[in-house]
Amino acid sequence: MLLTPEVIAILILDTIFLLFACFAFYISIPIALKWDINSTSAFQYGLEKKAILVATIIKYIFVLKLPLFLFFIFTSDKISGVITGAMCAAGVVNSVDFGLSLFIFKILNLYIFGFWLFLHTEDMKDEKLKFTKLKFTIFIVAFLLLITEIFYEISFFTSLDVDKIVSCCGTLFSAASTSTISFIFDISNPVIVTAFYITFALYLITFFLKKESLFLASNILFFIVSVLSLILFFGTYIYELPTHHCPFCFLQKDYYYVGYALYITLFIGTFIGISGSILSILKPEFSQNYYRTSLIFNILYTLIVSVYPVVFYIRNGVWL
Amino acid sequence: MESKINHFMIGFAISSILRRGVKSFFTLFIFTSLIFLLSSILFISNSIKAELGFTLKSLPEITIQKLQAGRHTNIGINRIDKLLEFHGVVSAIPRTWGYYYFEKAGVNFSVVGIDSFDKQYKNSFESFVEDVDFDELSKNSSMIVGVGVKKALNDNYYKDYFNFVKPDGELQKVTIASTFKSSTSLESNDIILMPRDMVLDIFGMNENEATDIVLSVANPEEIPTIIEKIRNLYPDTRVITQNDLRVSYQNIFDYKSGMFLALFIISAFTFFMIVYDKASGLSSEEKKEIGILKAIGWKIDDILKEKFYEAFIISFLAFLSAIILALFFVYTLEAPLIKDIFIGYSRLKPTFDLPFVFDFQTVFLLFFLTIPLYLAAIIIPSWRVASMDADEVMR
Amino acid sequence: MIECKNLTKIFNKNKNDEHTALKNINLEFKAGEIIVLKGASGSGKSTLLALIAALSKPNDGEVIVNNKRISKMPDNFTSLFRRENIGFIFQKYNLIPTLSVKDNMILPLIPSNPDEKVLETAIDKLLEKFSMESKKNILVKQLSGGEQQRVAISRALINNPKIIIADEPTANLDGKLSLDFIKIIEQLKNASTTIVIATHDPLFFDLDFVDKIVELKNGEVIDVINS
Ligand SMILES: Nc1ncnc2c1ncn2[C@@H]1O[C@H](COP(=O)(O)OP(=O)(O)O)[C@@H](O)[C@H]1O
Ligand SMILES: [Mg+2]
């Protein structure tokens, strides 16, 4: 157990989220089950008001979760100074077995809660409140994911051990590692680079086809391939070290915090692409602007990430 | 989602806050107090951490003490030659020092013996041993004291000398040659420097004894091996590394700040309840006001938005004033009361200055520890108000 | 324009003090009409106005305005509906006394974040209409009753409502001011604004510009006079 003020802040917020989420969940069940917009019963009017409370609570949680995610990485980075062997957040997160799961849940929840708010905004535009039932059904699932994340996070901080020696990111993200993700290092550089640019090309094609389901799929694919290629290939050019594959170190000052720029553009680009596509499948008259926003951010991501190897090549005349 | 800032709404929020003057002021006051308490704790702990960081750097890499019957006793200087033979040991210096309890002020001084011939073990002393004429010191039996010591002596009317009581009850008069202040006040504040012979005399120690021996090594990686060898050669010694000191400092420190944070959590909870209660208990006037707003076209969401604007304005004011107050309290007033509790052993040590440390990490941390709490406290009451039926206004 | 079908409102339903305030009301008002709801205190006039403005929900029946079933709209949408379509004049003015005349007038528009210039012209026009230009920045609590009434009317008109609802507008006014108010109403009469006034003030009962007088008693319509 490591009670630094940063950890306490996260734990306090987790507690608040937990309480509010449980409360919202309790209210959501009748909404998900008994919502009937045509009913004129006092019960239905009550549900309509309660739905607004739940939406407010979710907004509150999401608005705090976004910066808190960065704060979490930052805190883990800071703790890495205390934990033997850890050089950055990666080592700290991986010092417990479920570190990777915690991380995946965190990202997944950001997408889901963000999408929920997106859906909510659309829902509130029409007095028929067509998506309310769907919204609350999604929330019930999102609630379970959130609870899992919070429990992971609490046990993460309570089981952090200053005396335990952990692996640093250098060994975690290497072919020699035995961690759950090491298998990806079997992919060779040319393969992953080609895969990345092909995925990007596919993404561009679906952009011009303007078919939601294809755009949705290409965004998801683009996200996955981007993260993989960042770890396997592009990261090494940011560090200018062929063996350093850590997806966290470039969040630090030494690399001008470029990691934040990368993750934020990738998140916005794919998030808007994914949520926008799903929304326009649900609601055909949904504005098509999301195509462009998604495109801008994904191109921005691709540009930033491509600059590193190109500049390296120009300066040194060789590839890493 | 409206992205444009609605300054009409902000204006209305401000006038609502002013309209409920006493209530708003009360909330502002307790929220400011909460943030103030927390930021003072964080500022002090950051400062002490920084101070400890400096101190640790100047501490010896390895300290060897002799134990007898489980207690620390003086160590023979003759061991030095053997120690210097170990591979990797760069220097081995005997230190002669001890605590002198000054009863009238109720504080402990650290009396440290210096030797012009020995290589000094602390950088901070080194620089200053150069400026001071060492021979002069021993000739006039005088000493150099830290600012904290100087103050404690002054307060008890010892202006230019001090009488040490030797173990045999005799007095030893030592004049104060000068005062010094090193970069880190935590370590040097309570220090008295004087020639080694005089320290031996005051503490009644033997010529060929020292309090402990400090080693410096060429390569920190070799420290474990060296320790192992020392333990084998001298089983009656205790070997302390810089890292051991760091951990024990850290432990005491975390324990203290843990206590404070527990206190904070209790205050935060109290604060939450008070704000929740204040936000729930609406006067009939406020209820009517909400009714009017809803009747003339404000949505539940608009009223919630307005409530959040109010909360933001109050939080922002509280945040800003609390941080300014805390900076003033900690760095200008030197954090009376809280600092003493924090340092714990301050009763036994003369006071010291807190170095100024301020970073944005702490501001973010303060933000996450306080503002969400306030917002959380008003969500449900605000929703309750906002979703009231508006037909009340018709009656 | 405004249609009430089988409207029933029961307060404290299924409780000891259950009270049926409106019973099976059927009414229809056309655009541009001025309607007076008359009836003794407690006959259900205010309750009916609240239902027409969707401030509360009926227990049965529906209110349809401009082909929209407003009695079934969710809360947020009824507010939006009122913001865009209804101007309210309450019996007790319902101004915020510690705000200035201008700040009271803009209250209905604040949520829609209006353009400063457009708003300013609208305010000045209304103040001029009611000869209140000099009072623009004066706190409402410093105004006389008649002036407060005029601020309340200005506020009701700021959003160019299609429907104006007035509940006992002259109850707190003396004879002369009541006549002034009636003049203002007459000026407001035009082809597109519907005005519904609930009152038991006899001054309203034989005005030639009133199109319809509806009489309520114990929550039921007992008489409708078209003039
Ligand atoms: N919120 C309420 N709860 C219980 N009874 C109410 C409520 N509002 C109005 N009433 C009752 O409904 C009846 C009609 O009231 P109202 O419409 O205000 O009458 P009017 O405006 O014609 O004087 C009255 O008997 C009143 O007591
Ligand atoms: Mg009435």
Side-chain angles (χ1 to χ4, degrees), chain A residues 37-40 45 48-49 52 124 126-127 129, chain C residues 57-59 68-69 71-77:
Chain A
I37 192 72
N38 291 317
S39 154
T40 53
Y45 294 137
E48 285 168 18
K49 286 180 176 173
I52 293 179
M124 296 309 284
D126 183 75
E127 66 199 51
L129 303 178
Chain C
K57 302 269 191 251
N59 296 77
K68 269 203 178 141
R69 208 156 71 109
S71 53
K72 186 51 213 100
M73 278 192 206
D75 212 277
N76 270 335
F77 294 91

Side-chain angles (χ1 to χ4, degrees), chain B residues 391 395, chain C residues 11-12 19 21 40-48 167-168:
Chain B
D391 61 338
R395 288 197 285 152
Chain C
F11 286 108
N12 306 322
H19 178 85
S41 182
S43 56
K45 304 183 295 293
S46 300
T47 309
L48 181 56
D167 191 19
E168 311 274 5

Side-chain angles (χ1 to χ4, degrees), chain B residues 296-357:
Chain B
I296 62 181
W298 287 45
K299 297 194 257 181
I300 294 181
D301 287 345
D302 297 322
I303 291 172
L304 286 176
K305 205 194 254 173
E306 194 270 338
K307 291 274 164 204
F308 279 99
Y309 279 8
E310 280 183 35
F312 265 118
I313 294 166
I314 290 187
S315 313
F316 185 73
L317 277 179
F319 202 69
L320 216 61
S321 38
I323 287 185
I324 292 170
L325 279 176
L327 283 174
F328 178 75
F329 174 75
V330 174
Y331 296 116
T332 310
L333 299 183
E334 286 289 316
L337 289 176
I338 300 189
K339 187 169 87 174
D340 292 349
I341 305 171
F342 227 98
I343 299 159
Y345 47 82
S346 75
R347 273 285 299 144
L348 293 176
K349 283 200 165 208
T351 53
F352 64 94
D353 287 352
L354 292 167
F356 184 78
V357 180

